[in-house]
Amino acid sequence: MDAPHPKQLGAFVRATAVLALSPTQQVAWLESLEIQVSVDELALEFEDGHLLLPQWVEAGWLPPDAVAAFSALDEALIGMSGADHAELWTVAALHEAPEWARVRELAAKVFHLL
């Protein structure tokens, strides 16, 4: 299998960076997109890139010791998914929910490993 394109890695790193932003900055980023998107876009972009994580590590584009941090972030987002957690996918939740504070903390930890 061919390695993913570097542009995909850039999108993944950007998605991770957006997850580390303050709630106000996350909302501003969502509003800056040319299409109307919901809060779940924050997780969807990350998820798309996380699926390729093993290939990026194998290609030497990401350090192997960052895998656990990326995976912890992914697990936090998965734990927030589903109809039972719909209230977490609102702008208000970005500002108020401890789950989003945890996501921001985990995303920031990733960058300490890069």
Side-chain angles (χ1 to χ4, degrees), residues 5-22 25-26 28-30 32-35 37 40-50 53 56 61-62 70 73 77 100 103-104 107-108 110-111 114:
H5 193 275
K7 187 175 180 179
Q8 292 171 297
L9 177 60
F12 178 54
V13 171
R14 183 198 67 223
T16 306
V18 170
L19 289 171
L21 295 174
S22 73
Q25 292 168 318
Q26 289 171 330
W29 181 82
L30 290 169
S32 76
L33 300 176
E34 294 181 7
I35 56 172
V37 295
D40 65 345
E41 185 66 21
L42 297 173
L44 293 173
E45 283 199 348
F46 176 83
E47 180 183 16
D48 289 345
H50 188 262
L53 185 61
W56 286 324
W61 294 357
L62 289 175
F70 278 113
L73 177 54
L77 291 167
W100 278 108
V103 164
R104 284 187 282 279
V110 167
F111 285 100
L114 295 183

Side-chain angles (χ1 to χ4, degrees), residues 2 6 10 12 17 19 25-26 28 36 38-39 45 59 63 70 73-75 81-82 92 94-95 101 103-105 107:
D2 292 335
F12 178 54
L19 289 171
Q25 292 168 318
Q26 289 171 330
Q36 186 172 351
S38 61
V39 171
E45 283 199 348
F70 278 113
L73 177 54
D74 186 55
E75 289 172 21
S81 298
L94 285 176
H95 291 276
V103 164
R104 284 187 282 279
E105 176 185 318

Side-chain angles (χ1 to χ4, degrees), residues 23 35 55 72 85 89 93 97:
I35 56 172
Q55 293 176 42
H85 302 287
W89 300 95

